[in-house]
Structure formats: C-alpha cells, structure tokens
Amino acid sequence: MVIVGAGECGTRAAFALREAGYEGSVTLVGKEPHLPYERPPLSKPSNGKVTPKLIANEERFVEADITLLTDDPVTSIDAEAMSVRLQSGRTIPYAKLLLATGTQPRALPVEGGEHAVTFRTLEDARAIFKAAETADRAVLIGAGLIGLELASALRDRDIGVTVVEVADRALGRAVPAELAEIIVAKHRDKGVTFRFGTGIDKVEPSSVTLTDGTKVEGDLIIAAIGVIPDTALAETAGLEVGNGIKVDDRLRTSVPDIFAAGDCASALHPFYGKHMRFESWRNAQDQGEAAARNMVGGDNAFARVPWFWSDQYDLGLQITGMPDPSHRVITRQLPNNARLLFHLADDGRLMATSGIGTGNAVAKDIRLAEMLIEKGLSPDADALSDTSVNLKKLLRG
Amino acid sequence: MTNWIDACAKDDIDEEDVIRFDHDGKTYAIYRSPDDEFFCTDGLCTHEQVHLADGLVMDYVIECPKHNGQFDYRNGEAKRAPVCNHLGTYQTRIEGDRVLIGLG
Ligand SMILES: Cc1cc2nc3c(=O)[nH]c(=O)nc-3n(C[C@H](O)[C@H](O)[C@H](O)COP(=O)(O)OP(=O)(O)OC[C@H]3O[C@@H](n4cnc5c(N)ncnc54)[C@H](O)[C@@H]3O)c2cc1C
Ligand code: FES
C-alpha cells in the first residue's frame, strides 16, 4: 500500500490500514521535510509560539511498521505498471494507491502578488510569526477562516490589522451571515479594521493598493484567499479531476486501485447526492480512514457530513453540515450569549447546524445536531428552539 | 491510602452526562453512566488542555468538545484520533446521595 501526502489524511489512513488488520507493507510518502504535523494549531499559536504538533511521533510509525519517506515528493504515477516515481528517482510499486495531496494556497493574481505571503505550512507559520516579532501593521487579504484566525493571533500580539475582503461580508462561503457578524464585531472590538467590497489593485513590499485607489500600509502582507486542490500528480496518471480528484462514494478514482481522500478529493456524497469537496480537518481524517478500509477489502460508502471548528479570541465557532442561505433557520439561545442556528430544508429535514459561544459552549449540541442530521431527521421546530429540550432526546425519539 | 473526596451530589450529574470537578489545583471529570454508575477521569483531554466536561457523553464514551477525540470513561482508554494517550481514572464511591472520588 502506498499513500502520497503525509498530511492529516494520509497519516490517518496509514494507521487505519493497520487498525483494519492489514499486515503487508505501508509506505507514506511526503513532500514536506518534517514528521507529519497538524495544521490547525499553526493559526492558533498558544503563547504566541509556533510549536509543531505532530500527528504521530517517530516511535508510533516504527511501532506500526509504517515506512515514512519525507522530503521526497512523488513526481509521477504509472498506472499501467502500478508504481509511483519519487523525486529522488526511486520507484515504488503499489497494490493500492491513495492520493492525499491536500490543497495549496491560491496565489494573489495581481501585480506584485508575490509580496503577499501565503499560509499553509509550518515554514509559512514560522516565517509569519517571525516577521510579526518586528511588524507594526499587517494587511490580511481575505476574510476567510484562516485570515480571521490570523487576525486574531496578530491582535493578541498587538499588531495593527487591516482585513481586506472583496465580498461585502466576512466568511462568505462557510459561515451563516448572522454568525459572521458576531465574529466581525468581536474583531472590530479588538481593533481590527475591515475593508469590505474592495479588491486589490497591486501589492508592493510594504503596502497594498485597493481597487478603490486607497493605499493601506503594512510591514506584513498576507494573502489568505482560499486554496486549490493539489491535483497535479493525479493528472499525470490521467485521473478524472474537476474541483479536486473525482472519486465515487467508496473514494475510488476513475483509475482502478487508486483512491483519493481529504482536501484534494471531490467525492460523490450520498447525503448531498453530488460531488462534494471539504476543506476540514476531521473530514481529512474520516475520509483517510474510510479510504484505508476500502483499500483492504472494505466496501463502504463515505457518508459523514462535514464538521469544523474555528477559534478566534475567546470565541469558538462550530458548524456541522453545509448551511445554505435557502434554509429556514431556527435559533436556540444558550446561556452566556452562546447561540445555535438550525438550518432546515424545505421539507423540514435538518441539514446543518452552526453555533458560536465562548470556548466550547456549543460543542456538545453541535455534535448531537450532527447525529440528527446524519439520521435524516426532521425535528420539531419548537423543540429545536426550546433550550429545555435536550437534543439527545430528539435523537433517541 | 486512598483519600476519599466528597465531590458532588448524585443529582448534580444528569444520567449519561459529565461535570467538571476541581480539587487541590487539579481538574477532574465525573460521569454518570446510562445505568446509573459513576466514574471519574482526569478533567483535561490528552490532546490539548481542554476540559472534557464540555463534551458529549454517549453510552460509555466521552467525546472531547474540541476535536472529537474519544475516550472510554470507565477505563480512560483513547478510542478515536486525534487522541492516542489514555486518560487517568479514579475510583468512585457512593455514600447516600453523595459521590466521592478516590485520589492519591
Ligand atoms: C493554518 C490552517 C488552519 C486550519 N484550521 C482549521 C480548523 O480550525 N478547523 C478545521 O476543520 N480545519 C482547519 N484547517 C484545515 C485542515 O488543516 C485541512 O483540512 C487538513 O489539513 C487537510 O488534510 P489533507 O491531508 O487532506 O491535506 P494537507 O494537510 O494539505 O496534506 C497534504 C500533504 O500532501 C503533500 N503532498 C502534496 N503533493 C505531494 C506529492 N506529489 N508527493 C508527496 N507529498 C505531496 C503536501 O505537501 C501536504 O503535506 C486549517 C488549515 C490551515 C492551513
Ligand atoms: S483537545 Fe481533545 S481532541 Fe483535541
């Protein structure tokens, strides 16, 4: 078994092969020079320090008899010969191959875009927080989750922050407007300046010119304008791609014996009835595990709905499912200003639940809501808004 | 020798739920199982320092509120990534309507 990409997904898959009882050889090939580490803590540094949090230490790889190759990207796949070729020239044969190549940050497509640094890897985090030691003002391009988490981390170090966003509000894709407003209000409270509805004209080493002609100065300029799935390798093998590597509900690509999972995969999802690509940490683990089981003889559809969290200042956001503006929204007000929004389809089915509160105030309810969603239930709207009704009761009927 | 600490009343914990209990600079989680037994573990997740008492109890499993790591709260066993280190567990004893935990 060969896995390409030693990120969250690939690493989880490697261990899951062993958990499924597979005893043959497992090789995990990574492009990065480090032991696999978690990305989420990179934008949430505690005490202002970037310390890599390993997904598994060396000892666990040895114990599980997983061969980890780092700093040696796979450069091509020969699907006929069933082998992969590494940059070092080495060729490794496979019986089954998993692509878990993740995503790459989108580069800023404007004049001087290269002056804006991007944020995905440990090196990126180290460079940004090193620059932050001497920076006074940062310009963050893109008010997405990673941009806003960074804004929060930089404000904690008392660096001035301007966030520039081309859309007219923050967190457009993933987060309902009502919760995005709470988050933006918090950022404003903490001194962040927002410039919505304006694009970037050009970037210079210490300033950004907006499309409305104004110039924003900054000694640290960061672009966090989304990611693109890393499908370069998949294309060398003629795999079908389209917003990610296309896989069926078993996470099999269009070429036999090659699977794909995690941020790079666009999977046919039974719950949504179409191909979906998720960019979240738990999904990377879940799909990695599911792919691993199917690689060693399992035959199970991957049907989990996505779940993610984001931490900004003392606020904890969690969302399960995919909220859509067309949904009917039922609000449940929790103690200490925490809030849950239940997103219902026209037929009353619960499709998504989003929540925000201090710390982990919404965690328990979000998890229960996720189970309600996965069961395909249509809970009574009054019960959903009534704080005295335990969601566990609704789950068990 | 076990040092028995009076932690809470039985009814402070709902069935199939958990509460946080702090004692002597340490934090614990005390659980009431679906069949009305009481258990006690370390209060913080072994992945990051997160209070497990904000998490969801389903049957005999506590799920961390932060990243969905899971433990069997009866023996502290780590059940689901990202957690791989087990939780410490402590004895419990019921006296009348009080829950005591055994430390030390
Ligand atoms: C700063 C930051 C904060 C985040 N915070 C959160 C959060 O709070 N909550 C949340 O749910 N999600 C968060 N995420 C998203 C989460 O980290 C990703 O969803 C997850 O890492 C995806 O895992 P993956 O393994 O699919 O991809 P990746 O983690 O991108 O791993 C893919 C790996 O494959 C390697 N690779 C690519 N091509 C090759 C090749 N040809 N040969 C060998 N190796 C290759 C790459 O170098 C990379 O190491 C965050 C991401 C970032 C960057
Ligand atoms: S802190 Fe508990 S799973 Fe991460």
Tab-separated table of all heavy atoms in Angstrom, chain B residues 12-41:
chain	number	residue	atom	x	y	z
B	12	ASP	N	-26.340	16.126	40.894
B	12	ASP	CA	-25.656	17.213	40.183
B	12	ASP	C	-25.309	16.786	38.754
B	12	ASP	O	-24.979	17.620	37.910
B	12	ASP	CB	-24.351	17.602	40.894
B	12	ASP	CG	-24.623	18.311	42.209
B	12	ASP	OD1	-25.760	18.786	42.386
B	12	ASP	OD2	-23.700	18.393	43.041
B	13	ILE	N	-25.303	15.475	38.530
B	13	ILE	CA	-24.944	14.985	37.182
B	13	ILE	C	-26.170	14.305	36.584
B	13	ILE	O	-26.760	13.420	37.201
B	13	ILE	CB	-23.792	13.955	37.235
B	13	ILE	CG1	-22.702	14.397	38.215
B	13	ILE	CG2	-23.214	13.733	35.846
B	13	ILE	CD1	-21.566	13.399	38.357
B	14	ASP	N	-26.567	14.721	35.397
B	14	ASP	CA	-27.659	14.052	34.711
B	14	ASP	C	-27.198	12.672	34.272
B	14	ASP	O	-26.003	12.425	34.109
B	14	ASP	CB	-28.083	14.838	33.457
B	14	ASP	CG	-28.751	16.157	33.813
B	14	ASP	OD1	-29.299	16.254	34.942
B	14	ASP	OD2	-28.705	17.080	32.984
B	15	GLU	N	-28.175	11.809	34.053
B	15	GLU	CA	-27.839	10.492	33.537
B	15	GLU	C	-27.171	10.653	32.174
B	15	GLU	O	-27.575	11.489	31.369
B	15	GLU	CB	-29.146	9.697	33.396
B	15	GLU	CG	-28.914	8.222	33.261
B	15	GLU	CD	-30.251	7.513	33.171
B	15	GLU	OE1	-30.973	7.477	34.187
B	15	GLU	OE2	-30.573	7.027	32.072
B	16	GLU	N	-26.141	9.853	31.934
B	16	GLU	CA	-25.367	9.908	30.682
B	16	GLU	C	-24.834	11.322	30.450
B	16	GLU	O	-25.062	11.946	29.419
B	16	GLU	CB	-26.227	9.462	29.495
B	16	GLU	CG	-25.402	8.944	28.328
B	16	GLU	CD	-26.274	8.560	27.139
B	16	GLU	OE1	-27.398	9.051	27.045
B	16	GLU	OE2	-25.790	7.777	26.312
B	17	ASP	N	-24.170	11.827	31.479
B	17	ASP	CA	-23.598	13.176	31.345
B	17	ASP	C	-22.350	13.282	32.223
B	17	ASP	O	-21.938	12.307	32.850
B	17	ASP	CB	-24.646	14.229	31.711
B	17	ASP	CG	-24.417	15.543	30.944
B	17	ASP	OD1	-23.362	15.710	30.313
B	17	ASP	OD2	-25.304	16.408	30.998
B	18	VAL	N	-21.778	14.470	32.254
B	18	VAL	CA	-20.493	14.662	32.918
B	18	VAL	C	-20.457	16.049	33.529
B	18	VAL	O	-21.080	16.980	33.022
B	18	VAL	CB	-19.340	14.484	31.880
B	18	VAL	CG1	-19.521	15.420	30.688
B	18	VAL	CG2	-17.963	14.708	32.500
B	19	ILE	N	-19.750	16.188	34.643
B	19	ILE	CA	-19.483	17.519	35.176
B	19	ILE	C	-17.987	17.659	35.485
B	19	ILE	O	-17.271	16.667	35.587
B	19	ILE	CB	-20.289	17.848	36.465
B	19	ILE	CG1	-19.905	16.902	37.597
B	19	ILE	CG2	-21.783	17.854	36.205
B	19	ILE	CD1	-20.309	17.425	38.966
B	20	ARG	N	-17.587	18.903	35.622
B	20	ARG	CA	-16.198	19.192	35.967
B	20	ARG	C	-16.093	19.307	37.486
B	20	ARG	O	-16.982	19.839	38.144
B	20	ARG	CB	-15.820	20.504	35.295
B	20	ARG	CG	-14.522	21.100	35.777
B	20	ARG	CD	-14.231	22.372	35.002
B	20	ARG	NE	-13.171	23.129	35.642
B	20	ARG	CZ	-12.709	24.283	35.196
B	20	ARG	NH1	-13.229	24.827	34.106
B	20	ARG	NH2	-11.741	24.895	35.834
B	21	PHE	N	-15.004	18.808	38.044
B	21	PHE	CA	-14.762	18.946	39.468
B	21	PHE	C	-13.305	19.328	39.684
B	21	PHE	O	-12.399	18.641	39.209
B	21	PHE	CB	-15.092	17.629	40.189
B	21	PHE	CG	-14.730	17.648	41.650
B	21	PHE	CD1	-15.388	18.504	42.536
B	21	PHE	CD2	-13.712	16.827	42.138
B	21	PHE	CE1	-15.034	18.537	43.886
B	21	PHE	CE2	-13.365	16.858	43.491
B	21	PHE	CZ	-14.028	17.713	44.357
B	22	ASP	N	-13.091	20.459	40.357
B	22	ASP	CA	-11.722	20.919	40.617
B	22	ASP	C	-11.369	20.654	42.076
B	22	ASP	O	-12.174	20.907	42.965
B	22	ASP	CB	-11.598	22.424	40.339
B	22	ASP	CG	-11.770	22.743	38.856
B	22	ASP	OD1	-11.641	21.811	38.039
B	22	ASP	OD2	-12.047	23.908	38.521
B	23	HIS	N	-10.171	20.142	42.284
B	23	HIS	CA	-9.751	19.892	43.656
B	23	HIS	C	-8.235	20.005	43.759
B	23	HIS	O	-7.510	19.383	42.977
B	23	HIS	CB	-10.207	18.497	44.086
B	23	HIS	CG	-9.747	18.134	45.476
B	23	HIS	ND1	-10.317	18.667	46.608
B	23	HIS	CD2	-8.748	17.327	45.883
B	23	HIS	CE1	-9.692	18.186	47.666
B	23	HIS	NE2	-8.736	17.380	47.252
B	24	ASP	N	-7.785	20.795	44.708
B	24	ASP	CA	-6.369	20.866	45.021
B	24	ASP	C	-5.506	21.144	43.786
B	24	ASP	O	-4.497	20.486	43.541
B	24	ASP	CB	-5.945	19.519	45.657
B	24	ASP	CG	-4.735	19.718	46.573
B	24	ASP	OD1	-4.384	20.884	46.836
B	24	ASP	OD2	-4.159	18.697	47.000
B	25	GLY	N	-5.952	22.113	42.985
B	25	GLY	CA	-5.173	22.523	41.823
B	25	GLY	C	-5.267	21.579	40.637
B	25	GLY	O	-4.604	21.773	39.629
B	26	LYS	N	-6.088	20.528	40.766
B	26	LYS	CA	-6.248	19.628	39.620
B	26	LYS	C	-7.713	19.614	39.193
B	26	LYS	O	-8.604	19.924	39.974
B	26	LYS	CB	-5.831	18.195	39.996
B	26	LYS	CG	-4.376	17.904	39.692
B	26	LYS	CD	-4.143	16.396	39.568
B	26	LYS	CE	-4.629	15.845	38.239
B	26	LYS	NZ	-4.421	14.391	38.101
B	27	THR	N	-7.942	19.232	37.937
B	27	THR	CA	-9.312	19.205	37.464
B	27	THR	C	-9.691	17.796	37.005
B	27	THR	O	-8.878	17.090	36.410
B	27	THR	CB	-9.544	20.287	36.384
B	27	THR	OG1	-10.906	20.260	35.977
B	27	THR	CG2	-8.665	20.072	35.160
B	28	TYR	N	-10.910	17.412	37.358
B	28	TYR	CA	-11.388	16.057	37.077
B	28	TYR	C	-12.708	16.130	36.315
B	28	TYR	O	-13.369	17.165	36.294
B	28	TYR	CB	-11.622	15.288	38.396
B	28	TYR	CG	-10.395	15.248	39.260
B	28	TYR	CD1	-10.124	16.280	40.183
B	28	TYR	CD2	-9.478	14.209	39.139
B	28	TYR	CE1	-8.970	16.269	40.954
B	28	TYR	CE2	-8.314	14.187	39.917
B	28	TYR	CZ	-8.068	15.219	40.820
B	28	TYR	OH	-6.929	15.191	41.571
B	29	ALA	N	-13.085	15.005	35.719
B	29	ALA	CA	-14.409	14.898	35.110
B	29	ALA	C	-15.120	13.723	35.777
B	29	ALA	O	-14.527	12.646	35.927
B	29	ALA	CB	-14.287	14.666	33.607
B	30	ILE	N	-16.350	13.964	36.222
B	30	ILE	CA	-17.112	12.899	36.869
B	30	ILE	C	-18.337	12.586	36.009
B	30	ILE	O	-19.047	13.486	35.562
B	30	ILE	CB	-17.545	13.296	38.287
B	30	ILE	CG1	-16.312	13.741	39.095
B	30	ILE	CG2	-18.248	12.139	38.990
B	30	ILE	CD1	-16.641	14.209	40.493
B	31	TYR	N	-18.533	11.313	35.745
B	31	TYR	CA	-19.549	10.869	34.794
B	31	TYR	C	-20.628	10.063	35.512
B	31	TYR	O	-20.345	9.335	36.464
B	31	TYR	CB	-18.941	9.952	33.739
B	31	TYR	CG	-17.697	10.514	33.090
B	31	TYR	CD1	-16.460	10.434	33.741
B	31	TYR	CD2	-17.760	11.126	31.850
B	31	TYR	CE1	-15.325	10.951	33.152
B	31	TYR	CE2	-16.626	11.647	31.253
B	31	TYR	CZ	-15.407	11.560	31.907
B	31	TYR	OH	-14.282	12.071	31.328
B	32	ARG	N	-21.860	10.170	34.987
B	32	ARG	CA	-22.934	9.276	35.422
B	32	ARG	C	-23.328	8.472	34.190
B	32	ARG	O	-23.712	9.049	33.168
B	32	ARG	CB	-24.102	10.101	35.926
B	32	ARG	CG	-25.229	9.271	36.509
B	32	ARG	CD	-26.259	10.203	37.140
B	32	ARG	NE	-27.256	9.446	37.857
B	32	ARG	CZ	-28.087	9.987	38.741
B	32	ARG	NH1	-28.018	11.278	39.014
B	32	ARG	NH2	-28.983	9.239	39.365
B	33	SER	N	-23.213	7.171	34.247
B	33	SER	CA	-23.429	6.333	33.061
B	33	SER	C	-24.927	6.110	32.843
B	33	SER	O	-25.735	6.384	33.724
B	33	SER	CB	-22.719	4.990	33.243
B	33	SER	OG	-23.481	4.173	34.100
B	34	PRO	N	-25.305	5.573	31.665
B	34	PRO	CA	-26.725	5.304	31.396
B	34	PRO	C	-27.319	4.326	32.412
B	34	PRO	O	-28.522	4.356	32.659
B	34	PRO	CB	-26.730	4.690	29.999
B	34	PRO	CG	-25.424	5.043	29.389
B	34	PRO	CD	-24.458	5.261	30.513
B	35	ASP	N	-26.488	3.426	33.003
B	35	ASP	CA	-27.065	2.541	34.016
B	35	ASP	C	-26.718	2.995	35.428
B	35	ASP	O	-26.593	2.188	36.343
B	35	ASP	CB	-26.706	1.075	33.762
B	35	ASP	CG	-25.371	0.937	33.069
B	35	ASP	OD1	-24.347	1.264	33.700
B	35	ASP	OD2	-25.360	0.557	31.897
B	36	ASP	N	-26.579	4.311	35.552
B	36	ASP	CA	-26.518	4.943	36.859
B	36	ASP	C	-25.301	4.568	37.692
B	36	ASP	O	-25.353	4.529	38.913
B	36	ASP	CB	-27.804	4.645	37.636
B	36	ASP	CG	-28.179	5.852	38.498
B	36	ASP	OD1	-27.742	6.967	38.163
B	36	ASP	OD2	-28.901	5.664	39.494
B	37	GLU	N	-24.179	4.325	37.000
B	37	GLU	CA	-22.934	4.167	37.733
B	37	GLU	C	-22.123	5.452	37.593
B	37	GLU	O	-22.308	6.202	36.639
B	37	GLU	CB	-22.122	3.015	37.147
B	37	GLU	CG	-22.613	1.654	37.565
B	37	GLU	CD	-21.611	0.602	37.115
B	37	GLU	OE1	-21.711	0.158	35.956
B	37	GLU	OE2	-20.727	0.273	37.920
B	38	PHE	N	-21.200	5.673	38.526
B	38	PHE	CA	-20.398	6.901	38.500
B	38	PHE	C	-18.936	6.569	38.240
B	38	PHE	O	-18.414	5.577	38.746
B	38	PHE	CB	-20.564	7.653	39.826
B	38	PHE	CG	-21.947	8.230	39.978
B	38	PHE	CD1	-23.017	7.423	40.382
B	38	PHE	CD2	-22.202	9.557	39.658
B	38	PHE	CE1	-24.308	7.946	40.483
B	38	PHE	CE2	-23.479	10.080	39.753
B	38	PHE	CZ	-24.538	9.269	40.176
B	39	PHE	N	-18.290	7.408	37.414
B	39	PHE	CA	-16.896	7.216	37.067
B	39	PHE	C	-16.171	8.551	37.134
B	39	PHE	O	-16.808	9.605	37.033
B	39	PHE	CB	-16.756	6.643	35.644
B	39	PHE	CG	-17.368	5.278	35.495
B	39	PHE	CD1	-18.706	5.146	35.123
B	39	PHE	CD2	-16.622	4.137	35.741
B	39	PHE	CE1	-19.284	3.893	34.998
B	39	PHE	CE2	-17.196	2.876	35.617
B	39	PHE	CZ	-18.528	2.755	35.245
B	40	CYS	N	-14.852	8.474	37.298
B	40	CYS	CA	-14.074	9.726	37.361
B	40	CYS	C	-12.783	9.569	36.563
B	40	CYS	O	-12.107	8.541	36.650
B	40	CYS	CB	-13.754	10.039	38.828
B	40	CYS	SG	-12.757	11.526	39.026
B	41	THR	N	-12.486	10.588	35.744
B	41	THR	CA	-11.219	10.607	34.989
B	41	THR	C	-10.546	11.967	35.174
B	41	THR	O	-11.142	12.893	35.730
B	41	THR	CB	-11.440	10.409	33.469
B	41	THR	OG1	-12.060	11.590	32.931
B	41	THR	CG2	-12.294	9.198	33.163
